[in-house]
Structure formats: C-alpha cells, structure tokens
Amino acid sequence: MNTTDISALAAGLRCRSAKWVGRFRRTVEPEYAPFVIVCTARTGSEFLKSLLNDHKNAIAWGALFAPASRTRIRWGFAAQPQGSDLRRLIADNPVGFLEREIWTRYPAAIRAVGFKLFYGHARGGEWKSVWSYLQRRADIRVIHLRRRNLLARQVSLELAQASRVWRRKDRGATSISSVNLDFDACVREFRRVEEGAANIDAMFASERVLDVVYENLAEDQAAEMKRVFDFLGVENRGVRASTRRQSSGSLKDRIENFDELERRFRGSRWHE
C-alpha cells in the first residue's frame, strides 16, 4: 500500500468515525456548512474531493446518486457501510438518506460537509427529489466545478472508458495513451456539458454558488483552495490530494486525429 492509498483510507476512516462520534452530540442543529460539488465527469471532482478531505475540518463524500449507488452506495471511500437498510433508504427516500446519513450530526471540529453530484445524476424516479431539495435549502452551498477545455475533457473521458481506469493514485501510466475522436460525437458531448452547466446556473442563486475551474485549480492549487475554504467558512490551510492526473502530454500527442479535429473546430467556440 502506497502513501496515497494510506491517506485515502485514513480520510475514509476519519469520515466514518466523525459520523459515529457525532451521533452522541447533544446539539440538535448542525454547526457546519452543507455543500455539494456539482459537475460532470472528468472535471477534477476526485481531485477536489481529496483536497477537501485532507482538511481536518471538512468532509466530502462521493457521488452518492450515481446509478451504481442503487446496488452499492458510492460513499467515495472504502470500508463504508452497505447494509440493506441503507440501500433501501437511499433508493426510496434519498432526501431522508441525506438528512440521516450525510447532513447529520458531527463533532464540533467538522465545519463543512458535502458530496458530489453530476449533472445527469438523480434525474429519474424517487431521486429527482434531490435536486428540488437542494434548491429549497438555501443554506446549502454549491461548488460548481467546470473544465474550460472541453476537448481535453473528452480525451480524458475516452481514455478512462477505454482503459477502465477512472482514477489513479500512483505515478504509473495507463495502458492506453491516445484515442481517435469522432468530431460529431465531440460536438454532441460539448453541447451536453454546456447545457448541464447552464441548467445549474439557472437553478441556483449566484450568491449560493462558487465557480471553480479545473485548469485554475491544477495551475494554482493554493489560491483556488483558499477560495473554496473561504466559501465554506473553514480555515485556509495547505492540503494535498490523494489522486494523480491520469494522463500527461499535449493534446496533439494524445489525439490520434488531432490535425483533422483542429481543422474542423477552427472558427468555433471550442477552438483553442
């Protein structure tokens, strides 16, 4: 087990123990800032989550309402409970799950608690109530995580799909390092992401939202995390991520038909 695995495991145990200890507190009202990280895949959400979980006063849970959570709850950490009662609760009463299991009582040291939610998550069945619940609760702070370069995001997405490696905690390279991208598929995906982001902009009042751009976070982590910590009302301090970038190099190196795409995107809003 390497150091990043150890830090990730420690974060998971800290979150679980904080919930357990918190149940014995006498305070009725939570004394922390509830938040949600809203984004789409391959925008650095695991990176941001791991940075938040390296802060002693914050807890960031995983993508709780990913489709896979209907059979196994995506807490975002190993060694978390998966009992049938919990699975029934999240399946049938997602708001009740959030209030009982996520935004519950914690030790006084915990000052911010949240989870990840992708644009397309919780859009059907009982889970649709999650979005209206988030809208109604004006105290919930929204970290809207975006990626400026949608082509780079598309490369990351297709590499992850091809390699089946969605996050990396070591320095090793993935077995697949380049992809051939379909122009029309890229355009459809770019529009889908932009529509999802626009829906979030329309859904929440601007004073409840902090926009975080992945490229800014990667370039100047300290400055961006100060913005995040200030937004959540926790002390600004140095933090380290337990995840690593899965690919490196230029887009030209990672896109097999880069010249074709560069030509076809020239003059569009997606050309950089």
Side-chain angles (χ1 to χ4, degrees):
M1 183 179 291
N2 60 37
T3 55
T4 53
D5 289 329
I6 293 171
S7 62
L9 178 61
L13 293 173
R14 180 179 69 87
C15 294
R16 186 172 181 178
S17 63
K19 277 181 59 181
W20 187 84
V21 172
R23 294 187 191 281
F24 294 92
R25 294 195 67 205
R26 293 186 178 181
T27 52
V28 176
E29 293 299 323
E31 299 173 349
Y32 55 82
F35 70 90
V36 59
I37 302 170
V38 179
C39 56
T40 191
R42 315 314 291 172
T43 54
S45 61
E46 277 298 307
F47 179 45
L48 176 58
K49 180 173 81 71
S50 69
L51 289 170
L52 286 165
N53 282 319
D54 196 46
H55 195 296
K56 64 181 180 180
N57 304 126
I59 293 177
W61 297 99
L64 298 170
F65 297 101
S69 274
R70 293 188 180 276
T71 55
R72 184 172 180 81
I73 301 171
R74 296 283 296 275
W75 294 102
F77 306 101
Q80 300 299 319
Q82 294 289 342
S84 58
D85 59 332
L86 281 173
R87 294 199 303 273
R88 281 194 299 270
L89 180 62
I90 194 173
D92 300 335
N93 185 5
V95 170
F97 175 85
L98 287 175
E99 293 181 340
R100 195 187 93 175
E101 298 296 328
I102 303 303
W103 289 318
T104 182
R105 289 183 291 181
Y106 291 88
I110 301 301
R111 308 303 300 168
V113 179
F115 68 99
K116 290 181 5 176
L117 185 65
F118 286 5
Y119 297 156
H121 289 177
R123 294 296 184 181
E126 294 294 330
W127 282 6
K128 287 194 298 184
S129 61
V130 169
W131 288 101
S132 56
Y133 173 73
L134 295 176
Q135 280 185 291
R136 287 196 308 272
R137 277 196 56 178
D139 61 318
I140 296 173
R141 307 177 195 194
V142 179
I143 300 174
H144 191 184
L145 181 61
R146 313 174 192 239
R147 190 163 183 169
R148 185 184 300 116
N149 191 326
L150 294 182
L151 184 59
R153 176 194 170 269
Q154 189 70 15
V155 171
S156 177
L157 178 65
E158 299 209 14
L159 283 173
Q161 290 172 336
S163 65
R164 298 186 179 182
V165 177
W166 291 91
R167 58 181 176 177
R168 181 162 292 281
K169 295 184 179 182
D170 55 44
R171 296 181 182 276
T174 57
S175 58
I176 301 173
S177 59
S178 64
V179 289
N180 189 292
L181 299 180
D182 179 80
F183 173 79
D184 293 326
C186 285
V187 170
R188 288 193 299 270
E189 181 66 5
F190 293 177
R191 287 174 174 163
R192 185 194 68 80
V193 172
E194 290 177 341
E195 181 180 350
N199 287 339
I200 299 305
D201 290 339
M203 183 176 293
F204 298 103
S206 59
E207 61 268 18
R208 293 180 56 190
V209 179
L210 177 71
D211 281 307
V212 176
V213 176
Y214 167 74
E215 287 85 351
N216 295 345
L217 182 61
E219 181 178 343
D220 193 344
Q221 177 182 304
E224 285 302 295
M225 288 309 297
K226 182 181 185 305
R227 294 180 62 238
V228 172
F229 292 146
D230 288 347
F231 179 67
L232 297 178
V234 301
E235 175 191 5
N236 181 40
R237 62 186 297 268
V239 289
R240 294 195 307 172
S242 62
T243 60
R244 299 185 183 277
R245 294 181 64 178
Q246 286 188 229
S247 57
S248 59
S250 68
L251 288 179
K252 189 174 181 66
D253 293 333
R254 289 182 286 155
I255 301 175
E256 295 165 2
N257 57 329
F258 178 85
D259 291 337
E260 173 206 345
L261 292 181
E262 202 279 334
R263 175 178 55 82
R264 297 188 69 178
F265 278 120
R266 191 176 299 141
S268 75
R269 65 180 180 276
W270 301 302
H271 183 261
E272 294 194 13

